[in-house]
Amino acid sequence: MEFQRQSLTMPVCLEDVRIKGIPQSAFYISDFISAEEEQVLLNKIETAPKPRWKQLSKRRLQIWPSDLSKNNTLLESPLPEWLIKPVITRLLSCPVSEDEPQIHIFSNSPHKAPNHVLINEYLAGQGIMPHKDGSAYHPIVCTVSLGSSLCLDLYGTNEGGTREPEPRWKILQEPRSLLITTRQLYTDFMHGIADASEDADLNPSTVANWELLRSPDEFKHGHNERKTRVSLTYRDVLKVSKLGGQLGIFGKR
């Protein structure tokens, strides 16, 4: 593990990897996990019990430790160890600023750490409609990308709440990267992924996090051919019921 940590270009603090030119706080770490850790996660996801997969019309997903109830409550249950280490432990060990090394990105959230993980699989050509994540979560989203690169589109809304026709910004998410979005970007803007087999028109003026990319030379021709990409979205659900833990409904897997 020490060798893997040394091979990563982890920032001293999140302020060093802030995405400039977009509202409030968004951060991008291009090498958040190692290639070995990426493969372990992909293997764990692929070999999860079949009932863990939920098939939607355009993609499939897993929800850990469980889905939310109708009133947006999570039954208290621990996440499996493979979803905690290395991602959550590394998240909590990275300070927001160098001046306050004890303050991490979840220090002000209700449970001081993520308690819910959504795993989405996107085949080439698959995306997700622009949306907001809603009020069930503390306004911090941490997404680890595995397998392939793609663009996340960020949309503003009109006075009536309808989505603007074109995205205001694009964030290019590389394999093994971490994207954190918070505050106004969470509450006021929609995010989505286009149903496309290729991301086009990629350059320093169109990609908000271009200067933070691990391998900008890979996209110097302006396009990215998508392959299968898996995302792990970590969030803190605000309302948690202890009923699940008391009944022992869910356990570590």
Side-chain angles (χ1 to χ4, degrees):
M1 180 61 72
E2 281 302 311
F3 173 79
Q4 293 174 345
R5 285 301 297 259
Q6 291 169 7
S7 68
L8 301 176
T9 55
M10 292 291 291
V12 173
C13 63
L14 290 181
E15 284 296 335
D16 291 344
V17 290
R18 180 188 291 273
I19 302 176
K20 300 173 183 177
I22 60 178
Q24 293 291 334
S25 297
F27 310 95
Y28 182 80
I29 301 176
S30 60
D31 284 299
F32 185 70
I33 61 172
S34 69
E36 294 87 352
E37 291 165 340
E38 176 186 39
Q39 195 56 55
V40 169
L41 284 169
L42 286 170
N43 289 342
K44 287 285 189 180
I45 292 166
E46 189 58 38
T47 58
K50 285 187 177 181
R52 273 287 170 188
W53 285 108
K54 183 178 181 180
Q55 187 67 50
L56 303 182
S57 60
K58 291 187 176 182
R59 68 187 189 284
R60 62 176 185 162
L61 56 84
Q62 295 180 22
I63 303 171
W64 293 87
S66 64
D67 206 347
L68 305 187
S69 68
K70 290 182 179 179
N71 63 347
N72 287 331
T73 299
L74 177 69
L75 291 178
E76 186 178 65
S77 179
L79 289 167
E81 192 73 10
W82 60 272
L83 285 174
I84 298 173
K85 297 180 180 179
V87 173
I88 293 180
T89 52
R90 204 162 288 166
L91 262 176
L92 303 187
S93 69
C94 186
V96 175
S97 72
E98 201 169 355
D99 295 335
E100 297 180 291
Q102 75 280 8
I103 303 297
H104 56 75
I105 194 67
F106 282 96
S107 287
N108 294 323
S109 80
H111 306 99
K112 312 301 181 189
N115 58 12
H116 193 258
V117 183
L118 186 64
I119 300 175
N120 277 293
E121 179 188 67
Y122 296 93
L123 304 181
Q126 292 180 335
I128 185 171
M129 287 289 292
H131 64 282
K132 293 181 181 180
D133 285 343
S135 59
Y137 309 97
H138 185 71
I140 294 174
V141 180
C142 300
T143 303
V144 176
S145 294
L146 310 176
S148 181
S149 300
L150 56 65
C151 279
L152 181 74
D153 296 323
L154 303 174
Y155 293 85
T157 54
N158 300 310
E159 289 185 3
T162 58
R163 172 173 57 88
E164 294 174 348
E166 298 295 329
R168 292 197 191 182
W169 305 280
K170 291 178 181 287
I171 297 176
L172 183 54
Q173 297 175 266
E174 300 165 288
R176 305 187 300 281
S177 69
L178 169 72
L179 173 64
I180 302 176
T181 56
T182 71
R183 301 183 188 176
Q184 185 183 356
L185 206 58
Y186 180 98
T187 57
D188 297 350
F189 291 87
M190 292 184 176
H191 58 277
I193 297 169
D195 293 330
S197 58
E198 179 180 275
D199 297 295
D201 192 28
L202 305 179
N203 59 66
S205 64
T206 60
V207 176
N209 61 321
W210 185 271
E211 63 183 41
L212 296 172
L213 294 176
R214 174 177 64 245
S215 306
D217 284 348
E218 289 186 17
F219 313 105
K220 63 183 178 181
H221 299 298
H223 62 88
N224 166 59
E225 184 180 347
R226 294 187 190 173
K227 299 176 183 176
T228 300
R229 179 246 190 182
V230 176
S231 67
L232 288 74
T233 301
Y234 286 76
R235 291 173 290 203
D236 186 359
V237 179
L238 298 178
K239 293 192 291 185
V240 176
S241 168
K242 294 186 180 298
L243 180 63
Q246 292 170 351
L247 295 179
I249 297 173
F250 303 102
K252 290 188 177 182
R253 291 174 173 84

